[in-house]
Amino acid sequence: MIGGSGTSTVPIRAFGWIMLAILAVFLLNAVLTFWFDFPGAKALFAGTSENVFLSFVQLSLYALAIAAAVISVSRRYYVTLREDAATIIAANHFIIRAAFWVVFLVGLGDAILSFMRVEGLSELYFGEELDSNLGRSAYRATHFHVPLILAGIAIAMFTRSLGFIWLSLLVVVAELLIVISRFVFSYEQAFMGDLVRFWYGALFLFASAYTLLEDGHVRVDLLYAGMSRKKKGTVNAWGSIVLGMALCWTILIIGFSSANAVIVSPILVFEVTQSGFGMYVKYFMAGFLGIFAVTMMIQFVAQFFEAVADKRGDPGARETHAEVI
């Protein structure tokens, strides 16, 4: 065994990858159930499914995902816990990066479109029919937001910096524009406040996983700071499972429990605020909670690997920003 690799780490790594595999299947089944009218895996046990075969297929995906995770880890027994953690963190960075570019493009684009509609410019430039269609949330989401979402993901593939850090500046700029336009030009519209809330919500929820990575969350602690790295590893390993992963699964299970759930319901109907010519992104903000749970779950798995490696005394421990300070 070198640097934490070997068969002794296989059960630990298998547990973490099984969590991620189940997460992936859970999200896939949510899409199949709520957007493609599949009956859902739980319908097989409830006895309410009219299509038992599809319910069985959705349930079988969990078994296949678990088996794939175990086989992959067993075959790659030589990979260290820290190498696995680095791989997971890199994937999480991409998700967060993509999320930033999506909310940046959608927020800016929808705000401009809302401004054009409230000032009567959209009908002038787009025509009466398209202007009317853009006033419907479902049309704006599928024909305007979706291309921006794809563009944001594409940009994230070719960038490396965590763009959400710039969201704090964008929030300040958006708030400053409200102050200037209100007190200097006596002009304010609903979409201006919507943009601040949209970007601020994204900043708060998307940055959480990165803050966890850098150990930047506020701790109210009397014992932890004085512990050795090995003891901290034990605390962090159990905390990642009992507190971290459990919280993320609670959010996901409740948020995707039914078509009326807190995350699914607004997205299904492309819910918008009732504020006249405001932005049409309220359904997006429900999705923020899902992104938060997913990215935090992924980061907790990476932290679990790092914590076990610390407990074992494996070399190559990463210094967090908090430790450097």
Side-chain angles (χ1 to χ4, degrees):
M1 183 181 68
I2 299 175
S5 63
T7 55
S8 62
T9 63
V10 167
I12 301 297
R13 293 174 53 232
F15 171 77
W17 284 106
I18 285 172
M19 285 292 102
L20 296 180
I22 293 175
L23 174 64
V25 173
F26 178 86
L27 296 175
L28 174 61
N29 274 340
V31 172
L32 293 175
T33 301
F34 299 116
W35 282 272
F36 292 93
D37 295 324
F38 275 54
K42 64 181 181 181
L44 193 63
F45 300 99
T48 58
S49 175
E50 298 179 358
N51 196 327
V52 176
F53 175 72
L54 289 180
S55 293
F56 179 75
V57 168
Q58 287 184 272
L59 182 63
S60 299
L61 290 175
Y62 287 103
L64 292 174
I66 293 172
V70 172
I71 292 172
S72 175
V73 170
S74 299
R75 288 182 175 179
R76 299 170 63 250
Y77 63 89
Y78 50 85
V79 176
T80 68
L81 289 166
R82 298 199 193 281
E83 287 173 341
D84 260 354
T87 300
I88 294 169
I89 290 170
N92 212 21
H93 277 192
F94 171 75
I95 295 173
I96 297 171
R97 212 164 50 236
F100 160 75
W101 284 109
V102 167
V103 299
F104 171 70
L105 295 177
V106 171
L108 189 61
D110 201 281
I112 292 173
L113 188 58
S114 296
F115 169 75
M116 294 180 68
R117 293 194 72 237
V118 76
E119 296 298 330
L121 299 175
S122 59
E123 183 176 351
L124 178 64
Y125 285 97
F126 303 142
E128 183 178 352
E129 182 179 357
L130 182 55
D131 175 58
S132 176
N133 287 333
L134 289 172
R136 297 186 293 111
S137 60
Y139 185 92
R140 189 185 294 200
T142 54
H143 291 78
F144 185 66
H145 292 167
V146 169
L148 294 177
I149 292 172
L150 296 177
I153 295 173
I155 293 173
M157 293 180 180
F158 299 99
T159 59
R160 288 294 176 265
S161 62
L162 284 179
F164 75 83
I165 295 173
W166 291 97
L167 271 177
S168 56
L169 176 61
L170 292 174
V171 170
V172 172
V173 171
E175 191 66 60
L176 180 62
L177 289 176
I178 292 177
V179 173
I180 293 174
S181 64
R182 177 191 299 172
F183 294 103
V184 177
F185 301 103
S186 299
Y187 180 88
E188 184 177 7
Q189 296 294 340
F191 71 84
M192 300 170 74
D194 290 345
L195 181 61
V196 172
R197 287 186 289 272
F198 183 66
W199 278 345
Y200 182 78
L203 171 65
F204 179 80
L205 294 174
F206 295 171
S208 295
Y210 180 75
T211 308
L212 176 63
L213 170 66
E214 296 297 339
D215 197 22
H217 287 284
V218 175
R219 291 181 183 270
V220 180
D221 134 57
L222 299 175
L223 303 174
Y224 182 86
M227 292 181 180
S228 65
R229 182 174 286 273
K230 288 187 177 182
K231 288 184 179 179
K232 286 182 178 180
T234 302
V235 172
N236 288 336
W238 283 108
S240 296
I241 298 173
V242 177
L243 300 177
M245 296 182 197
L247 171 65
C248 294
W249 276 121
T250 300
I251 294 173
L252 290 170
I253 291 172
I254 293 176
F256 290 91
S257 60
S258 69
N260 296 318
V262 64
I263 295 177
V264 175
S265 178
I267 298 176
L268 284 177
V269 299
F270 302 110
E271 185 176 346
V272 299
T273 58
Q274 304 300 317
S275 55
F277 287 96
M279 292 176 62
Y280 284 24
V281 293
K282 187 176 180 180
Y283 75 95
F284 249 96
M285 300 179 75
F288 286 177
L289 188 58
I291 295 295
F292 165 79
V294 169
T295 54
M296 288 294 281
M297 172 71 79
I298 295 172
Q299 193 57 51
F300 274 122
V301 171
Q303 186 184 55
F304 173 68
F305 286 164
E306 289 277 7
V308 174
D310 288 342
K311 180 180 180 298
R312 289 162 49 91
D314 294 345
R318 180 181 57 84
E319 278 195 334
T320 64
H321 180 67
E323 290 173 332
V324 171
I325 294 176

